[in-house]
């Protein structure tokens, strides 16, 4: 009977040891899962930031194209103004010459 009780006690100690090891392993797995969750959060945040940056860059490129287009229009208008100014100078000289014939 004593041998039987000793066997049961030994089996019980083995069970407790195994149970403790399983509990420690479970805690380790939970810690690993938490770490994976944190890594996933960081990766998701990085992806969102990258999308925002790509969107911003696309918007900047669109604005740059618009600035170039408007700059080209301004340059053309400046050329037109320069031509009109040159014409006005010619007309002014012609009027000055015409008026010089009259004495006031």
């Amino acid at each position: 009977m004593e041998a039987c009780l000793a066997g049961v006690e030994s089996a019980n100690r083995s069970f407790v040891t195994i149970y403790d090891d399983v509990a420690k392993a479970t805690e380790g797995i939970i810690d690993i899962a938490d770490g994976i969750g944190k890594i996933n959060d960081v990766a998701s945040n990085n992806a969102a930031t990258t999308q925002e940056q790509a969107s911003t860059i696309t918007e900047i490129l669109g604005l740059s194209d618009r600035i170039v287009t408007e700059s080209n229009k301004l340059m053309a208008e400046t050329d037109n103004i320069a031509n009109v100014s040159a014409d006005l100078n010619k007309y002014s000289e012609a009027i000055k010459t015409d008026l010089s014939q009259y004495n006031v």
Side-chain angles (χ1 to χ4, degrees):
M1 175 84 150
E2 216 169 281
C4 183
L5 283 175
V8 169
E9 284 180 22
S10 177
N12 189 36
R13 282 192 302 273
S14 294
F15 174 77
V16 169
T17 301
I18 292 170
Y19 181 82
D20 288 344
D21 290 345
V22 168
K24 288 177 187 175
T26 301
E27 288 175 12
I29 291 170
I30 290 171
D31 289 344
I32 290 170
D34 288 345
I36 291 171
K38 289 176 184 176
I39 290 170
N40 187 41
D41 290 345
V42 169
S44 295
N45 287 338
N46 286 346
T49 300
T50 301
Q51 282 180 322
E52 287 178 25
Q53 288 173 343
S55 176
T56 301
I57 289 169
T58 300
E59 187 174 339
I60 289 170
L61 288 174
L63 290 173
S64 295
D65 288 343
R66 187 171 175 190
I67 288 169
V68 168
T69 299
E70 293 301 319
S71 177
N72 288 337
K73 287 180 184 177
L74 181 60
M75 187 172 64
E77 288 301 319
T78 301
D79 287 344
N80 287 338
I81 291 170
N83 290 335
V84 168
S85 179
D87 289 344
L88 288 174
N89 281 335
K90 286 181 202 173
Y91 298 142
S92 176
E93 288 296 321
I95 292 170
K96 183 178 176 183
T97 301
D98 289 344
L99 289 177
S100 69
Q101 296 174 11
Y102 300 100
N103 290 327
V104 181

